[in-house]
Structure formats: structure tokens, C-alpha cells
């Protein structure tokens, strides 16, 4: 094909532009943790760049869209020589630990919002017949990725994984990976500019170089069929297969050893009748070893099998009625005031929930680390998983919707094999407008099209008149639960008044209260009329539990929140100091009086 100069230029422009379009990532490699990987975690040099000097020229044009494509910090010039002018040099810069947000690692970065550059040098010995992907667990918020000076692409969304295939850009030997991260909040993004959590920036989750065979097992789903505990249903998807290929699914403990042949696209779906299967539940979170192999690849996973459904106002786990004793939590380690980084951090949070007597957690308000879900599988905690469609999103902006839907899709695809996840939430406290109903309605439909085996919900808001609390948000009609937040005794009324209130819930669905609670500074004691005292928070819990116990069809609660967490919206100098103090445990691990009220309530509450 002969390309004229004009068309050559146009072609070059399209190539460059395509790299700057947000690549709503293709299907991720399922279960990266069980693949051949080179971890790129550890120390990365960094450069703070509030003026985007490493990305834009003085005419504010991106260097990577220039004719040469060069000029930005991604060139990683470290030995300019005496005649060349370079006004940056990663070799002389301090480092940030990855995974980890930048805010909790340097005091000067605590409040930093803007662009920051990361660089990681690494060695690889390339193998002929292998493919290579760079996989990020999550980077907040917008990230531009460059390998050896070449742009791989852009990702938006701070809580979901993304990957790029890099075989053609990797060097056998020394390589350098440069990531421009921008956590600037913007109105049309997801989340939007206003959140009650810290806008932690950076490469917050694991980074891996993943090596696969030419043809590899890209994706699989192995779960029970919808409401059918006697049938395992799913699919296996090969990538790079030349067409029909043999694959094998083995679940040794269930004596399942099934051989299949994929279709021309490398995909096979299956349904396998099962008899004596031990179903996953919080008391006995049974996980089975599942092995999938193809002619060139093999992957092993630990998967639990359970069914979840609603029946009128009841929630049925494995066909049995269940009450969800829950607690809400952020992806934050209160002891460092930063994102959870290690298995240990995550296990700490979930152990605190178990110690409280929980069988259920609401992982708010965004997709948490994959390891968190795998630990919930192992520890026996049911999970409410949510995408950050939070408060007032730009409902009429098509790009905003695509972004939200992409985060939802990637989240469901990543975690579809986790038994712990029983509920997909499409958002929190979103205002009831027509545009919002359309936006959220589409997200609900998308969720059901991606996974019909779990419940779909959202944290709705309530109306109040006198002593009646009404739940009649139209979006509720599309959801499986009547789930809502209510802050009686804190944002409205007062703790003593709560027993006078009653609920008018317009849906014949299980009622799940997704948030209630109040703030208290641990160690501050006074009478129960004094806000911020442990006694005030304690009375909120005593009377909230009384008020909620009157609700027919109450099948679960997730008090807000397990532990104090950082928020830029909390500036009371005496009681808050940028911490939301609604935790039952303080940021130094102190259990507040209300903690023991809830623990006692759960000890006495039947799960049936
Ligand atoms: C809201 C919101 C939370 C917030 C909480 C609070 O309901 O969903 O993200 O932290 O209330 O005000 O403490």
C-alpha cells in the first residue's frame, strides 16, 4: 500500500492520537496472581510536576503528540552530556514505594493533587515464544504509560486494573518504565470532584510484567449457575489460539476432569452437573482448587461455590435465609493514613470485621484490591462491591457514562469468580433526576448482562417527613434490594429521638441499610448529649439498632464505618483534623464504646 505524504502524515497523526485516547482496556488476563510474572513493585524514582513540564511544551501541546513524539520526561534522559540541556533527571530523584499512594509517603505530598512522574528500571531476558504484558492493579487517577520512551497508552479510573501488551517494545536486558500519574479531580470524571475520602494519588496497587505462552488462557468463569447449586456453569477463553484447541477443566476434589475443544475464537462454554459439593458460606468458606489447562498454558485458582438470591423480603444464601451482619470500610490503612498496600494490611482490616462478629462487608465506594476479595473468600465474609458513581456525577455526559461502565465491566470481569461477592453496587447517594435514572438504569442493565448470578443494588437516599422515613427512589424498582443510607441521630434528629421514627419502604424487597452512624473522637468522654463524645456515638448505635429492628424485611446492615478514615472534608480542629471520626475503631486502633454495642448486637442476632 503506497501512502502519499499527506496520507502518511494523516496516518502518523491517527497513530499518535490513538495512543492518547483513553483505551477502555480490553479484557484483562484473569488471575494475574497465578501467572508467570516479574514484579515491578518496589522503589520507583519520582518527579513532582505541577506544571506538566514533562508532558506539555510551552504551547501546552503534548510532547508525545509532536512529530518526533519525544521531549517528555518519558525519554528518561539521564546522561545528557555537557552540551545537551535536560531539566530533569530521574537518577537524582528520591523514590516512592509501589504499591502505595504518594500522599502517605512524604509530608510534602500529603495534600498534593496534580501530575507526578514515576520511573522504574528493570532487566528482562526475553524468550522467543512468549508474550509480555505490563499489568497495573490500579493507578489513581489518569495514567499515561511509556516503556523505553514509547507510549503504551492511557488509563482512567483509580481503582481497576489495566494492562498493555509490550512484547514489541521490550528490550532483552535493560528497560525503563515511566508513568505519568495525574490525580487532579475533574467534574466529568468517575468519581467526580467531591468525595468524602482522601484523593490518594499514585500507583496504589501491584505492577507486574506478565509472561504468557503464544496461546494462553486469557479468561474463565467457573461458578454455580444462577440459583442452581447442582450445576457448575462457565466458560474458558483462550487468547492467541489458532482456532479450535483442546482445553481441560479439573476440580480434583469434585472428581471433575472435563476435556473440551474451543470454538474457532478459542472459547468454550460448559455446564457440569455436580452432586456432593460443599457450598461456600461465612461459617465454612470452602474453596476448591480449580485447574484449567490448554496445550500451551495452565492456571490454577481457588474458587468457592454458592448461590445468592432474594425471595420477597428475604435474602437466600445457598437457598437459606441469611441476615448480613456487616460493616463498611474504605481501602485505607488507618495506622499509616494511606491506601492498603499488603496482604497483611488487608487481612488486618478483615480480621477486625470478623472480630466484630461480621459475616459481611461493604467495600466502599470503589473497587477494592483483588487480594481483598480473595481474602474475603478465604475468611468467609460476604461482600458488597461498588463502583465510584458517587454523589453528583455528570449524568448527561456520554464520556462520563462510558468511563463508569468501563470501571464496572473491568470490576465484574476481574472478580466474577469470587464467591464472597454477592452484591454488585452501581453507586452511592446519587440524586433522583431523570438523567440519573437513565444513567444508573443502564449501569444496572449492564451489570446483569455481565453477571446474572449476583444481586444488583445501590446505596439510595431517603426522604423524611415528621417521624416517617420514606424509601421510594424510582431506581429501587430496578434493584434487588431496598438498600439505603440514613443518618438519624447525626445529620438529622438526635439519638434520643430515634425510637420515635418508623420507615415507609415502597419496595417488597429485602431491606439492607448501607450506612448509619455518627462521629466520636476516641477517648473523649462526656454525657450522651455531647456530640463527638463516645457516649453520643454509643447512644446513636443503641437507638439506631432499636429503630431498625422494627423494619420488616431488614436483612442486613453495614454501619458507617469500621475505622476512622481520612477525608479532606473534615476540618474540625478539635475532633477531626482531616479524619472522618465515624469509625467504631479509631485511626490508632482504639475500640470506641459503640464498637461493643454493635458487637453485642451481632452476638445475639441470629443469621437465619
Ligand atoms: C455519606 C457517604 C459517605 C460519607 C458519609 C459521612 O453517606 O456515603 O461516603 O463518608 O456519608 O458523611 O460520613
Amino acid at each position: 500500500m503506497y501512502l502519499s505524504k499527506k496520507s502518511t502524515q494523516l496516518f502518523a497523526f491517527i497513530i499518535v492520537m490513538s495512543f492518547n485516547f483513553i483505551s477502555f482496556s480490553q479484557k484483562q488476563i484473569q488471575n494475574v496472581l497465578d501467572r508467570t510474572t516479574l514484579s515491578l513493585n518496589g522503589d520507583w524514582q519520582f518527579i513532582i510536576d505541577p506544571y506538566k513540564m514533562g508532558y506539555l511544551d510551552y504551547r501546552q501541546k503534548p510532547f508525545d503528540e509532536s512529530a518526533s513524539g519525544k521531549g517528555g520526561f518519558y525519554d528518561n534522559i539521564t546522561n545528557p552530556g555537557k552540551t545537551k540541556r535536560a531539566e530533569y533527571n530521574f537518577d537524582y530523584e528520591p523514590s516512592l514505594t509501589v504499591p502505595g499512594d504518594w500522599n502517605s509517603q512524604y509530608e510534602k505530598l500529603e495534600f498534593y493533587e496534580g501530575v507526578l512522574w514515576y520511573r522504574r528500571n528493570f532487566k528482562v531476558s526475553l524468550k522467543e515464544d512468549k508474550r509480555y504484558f505490563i499489568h497495573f492493579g490500579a493507578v489513581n487517577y489518569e495514567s499515561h504509560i511509556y516503556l523505553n520512551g514509547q507510549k503504551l497508552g492511557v488509563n482512567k479510573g483509580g481503582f481497576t486494573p489495566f494492562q498493555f501488551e509490550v512484547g514489541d517494545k521490550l528490550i532483552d536486558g535493560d528497560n525503563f518504565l515511566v508513568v505519568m500519574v495525574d490525580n487532579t479531580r475533574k467534574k466529568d470524571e468517575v468519581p467526580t470532584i467531591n468525595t468524602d475520602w482522601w484523593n490518594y494519588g499514585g500507583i496504589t496497587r501491584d505492577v507486574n510484567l506478565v509472561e504468557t505462552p503464544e496461546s494462553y488462557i486469557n479468561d474463565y468463569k467457573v461458578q454455580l449457575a444462577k440459583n442452581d447449586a447442582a450445576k457448575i456453569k462457565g466458560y474458558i477463553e483462550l487468547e492467541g489460539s489458532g482456532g479450535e484447541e483442546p482445553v481441560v477443566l479439573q476440580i480434583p476434589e469434585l472428581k471433575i476432569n472435563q476435556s473440551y475443544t474451543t470454538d474457532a475464537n478459542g472459547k468454550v462454554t460448559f455446564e457440569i452437573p455436580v452432586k456432593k459439593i460443599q457450598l461456600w458460606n461465612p461459617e465454612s468458606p470452602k474453596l476448591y482448587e480449580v485447574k484449567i489447562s490448554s496445550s500451551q498454558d495452565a492456571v490454577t485458582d481457588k474458587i468457592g461455590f454458592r448461590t445468592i438470591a432474594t425471595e420477597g423480603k428475604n435474602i437466600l444464601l445457598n437457598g437459606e435465609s441469611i441476615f448480613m451482619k456487616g460493616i463498611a470500610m474504605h481501602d485505607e490503612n488507618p495506622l499509616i493514613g494511606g491506601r492498603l498496600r499488603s496482604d497483611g494490611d488487608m487481612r488486618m482490616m478483615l480480621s477486625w470485621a470478623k472480630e466484630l462478629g461480621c459475616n459481611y462487608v461493604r467495600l466502599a465506594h470503589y473497587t477494592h484490591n483483588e487480594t481483598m476479595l480473595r481474602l474475603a473468600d478465604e475468611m468467609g465474609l460476604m461482600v458488597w462491591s461498588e463502583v465510584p458513581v458517587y454523589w453528583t456525577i455528570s449524568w448527561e455526559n456520554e464520556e462520563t457514562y462510558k468511563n463508569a461502565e468501563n470501571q464496572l465491566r473491568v470490576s465484574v470481569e476481574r472478580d466474577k469468580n469470587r464467591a464472597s461477592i454477592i452484591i454488585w453496587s452501581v453507586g452511592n447517594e446519587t440524586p433522583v433526576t431523570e438523567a440519573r435514572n437513565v444513567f444508573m438504569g443502564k449501569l444496572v442493565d449492564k451489570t446483569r448482562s455481565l453477571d446474572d448470578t449476583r444481586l444488583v443494588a445501590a446505596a439510595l437516599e431517603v426522604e423524611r417527613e415528621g417521624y416517617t422515613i420514606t424509601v421510594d427512589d424510582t431506581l429501587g424498582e430496578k434493584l434487588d434490594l431496598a438498600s439505603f443510607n440514613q443518618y438519624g441521630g447525626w445529620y438529622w434528629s438526635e439519638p434520643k429521638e430515634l425510637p420515635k421514627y418508623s420507615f415507609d419502604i415502597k419496595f417488597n424487597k429485602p431491606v439492607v441499610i448501607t450506612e448509619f452512624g455518627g462521629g466520636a473522637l476516641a477517648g473523649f468522654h462526656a454525657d450522651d448529649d455531647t456530640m463527638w463524645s463516645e457516649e453520643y456515638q454509643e447512644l446513636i448505635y443503641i437507638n439506631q439498632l432499636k429503630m431498625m429492628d422494627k423494619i420488616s424485611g431488614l436483612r442486613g446492615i453495614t454501619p458507617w464505618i469500621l475505622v476512622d478514615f481520612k477525608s479532606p472534608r473534615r476540618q474540625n480542629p478539635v475532633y477531626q483534623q482531616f479524619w472522618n471520626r465515624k469509625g467504631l475503631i479509631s485511626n490508632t486502633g482504639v475500640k470506641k464504646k459503640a464498637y461493643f454495642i454493635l458487637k453485642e448486637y451481632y452476638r445475639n442476632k441470629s443469621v437465619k
Side-chain angles (χ1 to χ4, degrees), residues 75-101:
D75 295 343
N76 186 32
I77 295 173
T78 53
N79 302 312
K82 68 178 185 175
T83 59
K84 267 192 106 206
R85 178 187 53 75
E87 297 183 280
Y88 73 95
N89 192 327
F90 281 106
D91 282 2
Y92 293 79
E93 296 294 349
S95 64
L96 282 165
T97 301
V98 167
D101 59 277

PDB file of all heavy atoms in Angstrom, residues 75-101:
ATOM      1  N   ASP A  75      11.268  10.243  28.034  1.00  0.00           N
ATOM      2  CA  ASP A  75      12.520   9.922  27.317  1.00  0.00           C
ATOM      3  C   ASP A  75      13.565   9.434  28.305  1.00  0.00           C
ATOM      4  O   ASP A  75      14.548   8.786  27.941  1.00  0.00           O
ATOM      5  CB  ASP A  75      13.050  11.166  26.594  1.00  0.00           C
ATOM      6  CG  ASP A  75      12.120  11.635  25.475  1.00  0.00           C
ATOM      7  OD1 ASP A  75      11.266  10.831  25.057  1.00  0.00           O
ATOM      8  OD2 ASP A  75      12.232  12.807  25.082  1.00  0.00           O
ATOM      9  N   ASN A  76      13.360   9.806  29.579  1.00  0.00           N
ATOM     10  CA  ASN A  76      14.262   9.344  30.640  1.00  0.00           C
ATOM     11  C   ASN A  76      15.724   9.648  30.351  1.00  0.00           C
ATOM     12  O   ASN A  76      16.607   8.787  30.431  1.00  0.00           O
ATOM     13  CB  ASN A  76      14.074   7.826  30.834  1.00  0.00           C
ATOM     14  CG  ASN A  76      14.862   7.302  32.017  1.00  0.00           C
ATOM     15  OD1 ASN A  76      15.051   8.023  33.006  1.00  0.00           O
ATOM     16  ND2 ASN A  76      15.359   6.077  31.918  1.00  0.00           N
ATOM     17  N   ILE A  77      16.006  10.896  29.954  1.00  0.00           N
ATOM     18  CA  ILE A  77      17.404  11.305  29.696  1.00  0.00           C
ATOM     19  C   ILE A  77      18.125  11.409  31.040  1.00  0.00           C
ATOM     20  O   ILE A  77      17.683  12.138  31.931  1.00  0.00           O
ATOM     21  CB  ILE A  77      17.426  12.652  28.949  1.00  0.00           C
ATOM     22  CG1 ILE A  77      16.794  12.483  27.557  1.00  0.00           C
ATOM     23  CG2 ILE A  77      18.860  13.180  28.825  1.00  0.00           C
ATOM     24  CD1 ILE A  77      16.616  13.796  26.804  1.00  0.00           C
ATOM     25  N   THR A  78      19.201  10.602  31.182  1.00  0.00           N
ATOM     26  CA  THR A  78      19.951  10.650  32.453  1.00  0.00           C
ATOM     27  C   THR A  78      21.396  11.081  32.235  1.00  0.00           C
ATOM     28  O   THR A  78      22.052  11.544  33.157  1.00  0.00           O
ATOM     29  CB  THR A  78      19.928   9.262  33.124  1.00  0.00           C
ATOM     30  OG1 THR A  78      20.395   8.314  32.148  1.00  0.00           O
ATOM     31  CG2 THR A  78      18.528   8.899  33.565  1.00  0.00           C
ATOM     32  N   ASN A  79      21.895  10.928  31.036  1.00  0.00           N
ATOM     33  CA  ASN A  79      23.271  11.400  30.729  1.00  0.00           C
ATOM     34  C   ASN A  79      23.237  12.351  29.550  1.00  0.00           C
ATOM     35  O   ASN A  79      23.615  11.993  28.438  1.00  0.00           O
ATOM     36  CB  ASN A  79      24.175  10.206  30.401  1.00  0.00           C
ATOM     37  CG  ASN A  79      24.203   9.241  31.566  1.00  0.00           C
ATOM     38  OD1 ASN A  79      24.395   9.661  32.701  1.00  0.00           O
ATOM     39  ND2 ASN A  79      23.908   7.973  31.269  1.00  0.00           N
ATOM     40  N   PRO A  80      22.759  13.566  29.783  1.00  0.00           N
ATOM     41  CA  PRO A  80      22.587  14.497  28.653  1.00  0.00           C
ATOM     42  C   PRO A  80      23.911  14.870  27.989  1.00  0.00           C
ATOM     43  O   PRO A  80      23.936  15.236  26.830  1.00  0.00           O
ATOM     44  CB  PRO A  80      21.938  15.718  29.294  1.00  0.00           C
ATOM     45  CG  PRO A  80      22.254  15.636  30.736  1.00  0.00           C
ATOM     46  CD  PRO A  80      22.358  14.159  31.052  1.00  0.00           C
ATOM     47  N   GLY A  81      25.034  14.723  28.753  1.00  0.00           N
ATOM     48  CA  GLY A  81      26.299  15.190  28.154  1.00  0.00           C
ATOM     49  C   GLY A  81      26.381  16.699  28.351  1.00  0.00           C
ATOM     50  O   GLY A  81      25.366  17.365  28.572  1.00  0.00           O
ATOM     51  N   LYS A  82      27.548  17.251  28.182  1.00  0.00           N
ATOM     52  CA  LYS A  82      27.743  18.653  28.600  1.00  0.00           C
ATOM     53  C   LYS A  82      27.055  19.621  27.669  1.00  0.00           C
ATOM     54  O   LYS A  82      26.727  20.736  28.039  1.00  0.00           O
ATOM     55  CB  LYS A  82      29.230  18.965  28.751  1.00  0.00           C
ATOM     56  CG  LYS A  82      30.044  18.980  27.464  1.00  0.00           C
ATOM     57  CD  LYS A  82      31.501  19.360  27.790  1.00  0.00           C
ATOM     58  CE  LYS A  82      32.300  19.506  26.495  1.00  0.00           C
ATOM     59  NZ  LYS A  82      33.662  19.973  26.790  1.00  0.00           N
ATOM     60  N   THR A  83      26.732  19.224  26.464  1.00  0.00           N
ATOM     61  CA  THR A  83      26.152  20.191  25.514  1.00  0.00           C
ATOM     62  C   THR A  83      24.620  20.132  25.489  1.00  0.00           C
ATOM     63  O   THR A  83      23.952  20.978  24.959  1.00  0.00           O
ATOM     64  CB  THR A  83      26.651  19.875  24.092  1.00  0.00           C
ATOM     65  OG1 THR A  83      26.227  18.518  23.818  1.00  0.00           O
ATOM     66  CG2 THR A  83      28.169  19.982  24.023  1.00  0.00           C
ATOM     67  N   LYS A  84      24.077  19.064  26.066  1.00  0.00           N
ATOM     68  CA  LYS A  84      22.599  18.924  25.933  1.00  0.00           C
ATOM     69  C   LYS A  84      21.892  19.457  27.179  1.00  0.00           C
ATOM     70  O   LYS A  84      22.353  19.254  28.308  1.00  0.00           O
ATOM     71  CB  LYS A  84      22.223  17.456  25.746  1.00  0.00           C
ATOM     72  CG  LYS A  84      22.135  17.087  24.251  1.00  0.00           C
ATOM     73  CD  LYS A  84      21.487  15.736  24.050  1.00  0.00           C
ATOM     74  CE  LYS A  84      20.050  15.871  23.508  1.00  0.00           C
ATOM     75  NZ  LYS A  84      19.259  14.667  23.910  1.00  0.00           N
ATOM     76  N   ARG A  85      20.796  20.164  26.989  1.00  0.00           N
ATOM     77  CA  ARG A  85      20.022  20.711  28.112  1.00  0.00           C
ATOM     78  C   ARG A  85      18.904  19.732  28.483  1.00  0.00           C
ATOM     79  O   ARG A  85      18.084  19.378  27.646  1.00  0.00           O
ATOM     80  CB  ARG A  85      19.393  22.052  27.712  1.00  0.00           C
ATOM     81  CG  ARG A  85      18.502  22.713  28.789  1.00  0.00           C
ATOM     82  CD  ARG A  85      17.818  23.938  28.215  1.00  0.00           C
ATOM     83  NE  ARG A  85      17.117  23.630  26.985  1.00  0.00           N
ATOM     84  CZ  ARG A  85      15.950  22.956  26.960  1.00  0.00           C
ATOM     85  NH1 ARG A  85      15.408  22.552  28.101  1.00  0.00           N
ATOM     86  NH2 ARG A  85      15.364  22.687  25.802  1.00  0.00           N
ATOM     87  N   ALA A  86      18.977  19.199  29.714  1.00  0.00           N
ATOM     88  CA  ALA A  86      17.859  18.378  30.213  1.00  0.00           C
ATOM     89  C   ALA A  86      17.506  18.928  31.586  1.00  0.00           C
ATOM     90  O   ALA A  86      18.375  19.052  32.446  1.00  0.00           O
ATOM     91  CB  ALA A  86      18.266  16.916  30.329  1.00  0.00           C
ATOM     92  N   GLU A  87      16.224  19.283  31.810  1.00  0.00           N
ATOM     93  CA  GLU A  87      15.870  19.936  33.087  1.00  0.00           C
ATOM     94  C   GLU A  87      15.147  18.982  34.019  1.00  0.00           C
ATOM     95  O   GLU A  87      14.255  19.367  34.780  1.00  0.00           O
ATOM     96  CB  GLU A  87      15.079  21.211  32.776  1.00  0.00           C
ATOM     97  CG  GLU A  87      15.941  22.224  31.971  1.00  0.00           C
ATOM     98  CD  GLU A  87      15.226  23.541  31.699  1.00  0.00           C
ATOM     99  OE1 GLU A  87      14.411  23.567  30.765  1.00  0.00           O
ATOM    100  OE2 GLU A  87      15.483  24.497  32.436  1.00  0.00           O
ATOM    101  N   TYR A  88      15.523  17.745  33.922  1.00  0.00           N
ATOM    102  CA  TYR A  88      15.036  16.719  34.863  1.00  0.00           C
ATOM    103  C   TYR A  88      16.015  15.551  34.791  1.00  0.00           C
ATOM    104  O   TYR A  88      16.786  15.425  33.827  1.00  0.00           O
ATOM    105  CB  TYR A  88      13.646  16.228  34.445  1.00  0.00           C
ATOM    106  CG  TYR A  88      13.681  15.354  33.213  1.00  0.00           C
ATOM    107  CD1 TYR A  88      13.737  13.969  33.342  1.00  0.00           C
ATOM    108  CD2 TYR A  88      13.718  15.899  31.933  1.00  0.00           C
ATOM    109  CE1 TYR A  88      13.795  13.156  32.214  1.00  0.00           C
ATOM    110  CE2 TYR A  88      13.804  15.102  30.800  1.00  0.00           C
ATOM    111  CZ  TYR A  88      13.837  13.724  30.950  1.00  0.00           C
ATOM    112  OH  TYR A  88      13.931  12.927  29.825  1.00  0.00           O
ATOM    113  N   ASN A  89      16.052  14.746  35.837  1.00  0.00           N
ATOM    114  CA  ASN A  89      16.885  13.552  35.797  1.00  0.00           C
ATOM    115  C   ASN A  89      16.436  12.601  36.903  1.00  0.00           C
ATOM    116  O   ASN A  89      16.652  12.861  38.091  1.00  0.00           O
ATOM    117  CB  ASN A  89      18.378  13.905  35.982  1.00  0.00           C
ATOM    118  CG  ASN A  89      19.269  12.717  35.652  1.00  0.00           C
ATOM    119  OD1 ASN A  89      18.869  11.573  35.886  1.00  0.00           O
ATOM    120  ND2 ASN A  89      20.444  12.984  35.097  1.00  0.00           N
ATOM    121  N   PHE A  90      15.773  11.535  36.487  1.00  0.00           N
ATOM    122  CA  PHE A  90      15.232  10.595  37.486  1.00  0.00           C
ATOM    123  C   PHE A  90      16.329  10.010  38.379  1.00  0.00           C
ATOM    124  O   PHE A  90      16.117   9.703  39.548  1.00  0.00           O
ATOM    125  CB  PHE A  90      14.502   9.451  36.779  1.00  0.00           C
ATOM    126  CG  PHE A  90      13.109   9.774  36.299  1.00  0.00           C
ATOM    127  CD1 PHE A  90      12.847   9.962  34.941  1.00  0.00           C
ATOM    128  CD2 PHE A  90      12.053   9.893  37.195  1.00  0.00           C
ATOM    129  CE1 PHE A  90      11.560  10.246  34.481  1.00  0.00           C
ATOM    130  CE2 PHE A  90      10.763  10.178  36.750  1.00  0.00           C
ATOM    131  CZ  PHE A  90      10.517  10.360  35.378  1.00  0.00           C
ATOM    132  N   ASP A  91      17.545   9.892  37.823  1.00  0.00           N
ATOM    133  CA  ASP A  91      18.615   9.232  38.606  1.00  0.00           C
ATOM    134  C   ASP A  91      18.918   9.947  39.908  1.00  0.00           C
ATOM    135  O   ASP A  91      19.404   9.350  40.860  1.00  0.00           O
ATOM    136  CB  ASP A  91      19.895   9.158  37.755  1.00  0.00           C
ATOM    137  CG  ASP A  91      19.804   8.017  36.728  1.00  0.00           C
ATOM    138  OD1 ASP A  91      18.742   7.360  36.704  1.00  0.00           O
ATOM    139  OD2 ASP A  91      20.770   7.830  35.966  1.00  0.00           O
ATOM    140  N   TYR A  92      18.621  11.224  39.960  1.00  0.00           N
ATOM    141  CA  TYR A  92      18.962  12.015  41.167  1.00  0.00           C
ATOM    142  C   TYR A  92      17.765  12.164  42.090  1.00  0.00           C
ATOM    143  O   TYR A  92      17.831  12.853  43.103  1.00  0.00           O
ATOM    144  CB  TYR A  92      19.469  13.403  40.751  1.00  0.00           C
ATOM    145  CG  TYR A  92      20.798  13.359  40.034  1.00  0.00           C
ATOM    146  CD1 TYR A  92      20.843  13.007  38.682  1.00  0.00           C
ATOM    147  CD2 TYR A  92      21.981  13.629  40.700  1.00  0.00           C
ATOM    148  CE1 TYR A  92      22.050  12.930  38.022  1.00  0.00           C
ATOM    149  CE2 TYR A  92      23.205  13.555  40.039  1.00  0.00           C
ATOM    150  CZ  TYR A  92      23.234  13.208  38.699  1.00  0.00           C
ATOM    151  OH  TYR A  92      24.436  13.118  38.027  1.00  0.00           O
ATOM    152  N   GLU A  93      16.643  11.548  41.710  1.00  0.00           N
ATOM    153  CA  GLU A  93      15.402  11.796  42.455  1.00  0.00           C
ATOM    154  C   GLU A  93      15.169  10.763  43.563  1.00  0.00           C
ATOM    155  O   GLU A  93      15.626   9.619  43.454  1.00  0.00           O
ATOM    156  CB  GLU A  93      14.212  11.770  41.495  1.00  0.00           C
ATOM    157  CG  GLU A  93      14.241  12.867  40.450  1.00  0.00           C
ATOM    158  CD  GLU A  93      14.097  14.266  41.046  1.00  0.00           C
ATOM    159  OE1 GLU A  93      13.769  14.369  42.247  1.00  0.00           O
ATOM    160  OE2 GLU A  93      14.350  15.236  40.311  1.00  0.00           O
ATOM    161  N   PRO A  94      14.449  11.148  44.635  1.00  0.00           N
ATOM    162  CA  PRO A  94      14.081  10.188  45.678  1.00  0.00           C
ATOM    163  C   PRO A  94      13.075   9.184  45.132  1.00  0.00           C
ATOM    164  O   PRO A  94      12.618   9.319  43.993  1.00  0.00           O
ATOM    165  CB  PRO A  94      13.453  11.073  46.762  1.00  0.00           C
ATOM    166  CG  PRO A  94      12.949  12.266  46.027  1.00  0.00           C
ATOM    167  CD  PRO A  94      13.911  12.487  44.886  1.00  0.00           C
ATOM    168  N   SER A  95      12.719   8.210  45.939  1.00  0.00           N
ATOM    169  CA  SER A  95      11.796   7.187  45.422  1.00  0.00           C
ATOM    170  C   SER A  95      10.521   7.092  46.236  1.00  0.00           C
ATOM    171  O   SER A  95      10.453   7.507  47.391  1.00  0.00           O
ATOM    172  CB  SER A  95      12.503   5.833  45.423  1.00  0.00           C
ATOM    173  OG  SER A  95      12.793   5.487  46.763  1.00  0.00           O
ATOM    174  N   LEU A  96       9.531   6.550  45.579  1.00  0.00           N
ATOM    175  CA  LEU A  96       8.261   6.214  46.219  1.00  0.00           C
ATOM    176  C   LEU A  96       8.131   4.700  46.192  1.00  0.00           C
ATOM    177  O   LEU A  96       8.569   4.057  45.230  1.00  0.00           O
ATOM    178  CB  LEU A  96       7.087   6.832  45.465  1.00  0.00           C
ATOM    179  CG  LEU A  96       6.800   8.310  45.683  1.00  0.00           C
ATOM    180  CD1 LEU A  96       5.867   8.835  44.601  1.00  0.00           C
ATOM    181  CD2 LEU A  96       6.194   8.551  47.063  1.00  0.00           C
ATOM    182  N   THR A  97       7.521   4.145  47.221  1.00  0.00           N
ATOM    183  CA  THR A  97       7.286   2.698  47.242  1.00  0.00           C
ATOM    184  C   THR A  97       6.024   2.385  46.441  1.00  0.00           C
ATOM    185  O   THR A  97       5.006   3.066  46.590  1.00  0.00           O
ATOM    186  CB  THR A  97       7.082   2.220  48.693  1.00  0.00           C
ATOM    187  OG1 THR A  97       8.242   2.560  49.433  1.00  0.00           O
ATOM    188  CG2 THR A  97       6.844   0.725  48.749  1.00  0.00           C
ATOM    189  N   VAL A  98       6.140   1.405  45.582  1.00  0.00           N
ATOM    190  CA  VAL A  98       4.985   0.898  44.816  1.00  0.00           C
ATOM    191  C   VAL A  98       4.783  -0.564  45.232  1.00  0.00           C
ATOM    192  O   VAL A  98       5.777  -1.301  45.307  1.00  0.00           O
ATOM    193  CB  VAL A  98       5.263   0.974  43.300  1.00  0.00           C
ATOM    194  CG1 VAL A  98       4.226   0.153  42.515  1.00  0.00           C
ATOM    195  CG2 VAL A  98       5.259   2.421  42.827  1.00  0.00           C
ATOM    196  N   PRO A  99       3.574  -0.991  45.549  1.00  0.00           N
ATOM    197  CA  PRO A  99       2.336  -0.210  45.604  1.00  0.00           C
ATOM    198  C   PRO A  99       2.290   0.724  46.808  1.00  0.00           C
ATOM    199  O   PRO A  99       2.846   0.424  47.856  1.00  0.00           O
ATOM    200  CB  PRO A  99       1.236  -1.283  45.731  1.00  0.00           C
ATOM    201  CG  PRO A  99       1.919  -2.411  46.444  1.00  0.00           C
ATOM    202  CD  PRO A  99       3.337  -2.402  45.932  1.00  0.00           C
ATOM    203  N   GLY A 100       1.629   1.853  46.574  1.00  0.00           N
ATOM    204  CA  GLY A 100       1.461   2.817  47.659  1.00  0.00           C
ATOM    205  C   GLY A 100       1.045   4.152  47.096  1.00  0.00           C
ATOM    206  O   GLY A 100       1.493   4.541  46.014  1.00  0.00           O
ATOM    207  N   ASP A 101       0.179   4.863  47.810  1.00  0.00           N
ATOM    208  CA  ASP A 101      -0.156   6.228  47.383  1.00  0.00           C
ATOM    209  C   ASP A 101       1.021   7.127  47.712  1.00  0.00           C
ATOM    210  O   ASP A 101       1.842   6.811  48.555  1.00  0.00           O
ATOM    211  CB  ASP A 101      -1.394   6.715  48.136  1.00  0.00           C
ATOM    212  CG  ASP A 101      -1.160   6.690  49.628  1.00  0.00           C
ATOM    213  OD1 ASP A 101      -1.327   5.603  50.236  1.00  0.00           O
ATOM    214  OD2 ASP A 101      -0.685   7.701  50.176  1.00  0.00           O
TER     215      ASP A 101
END
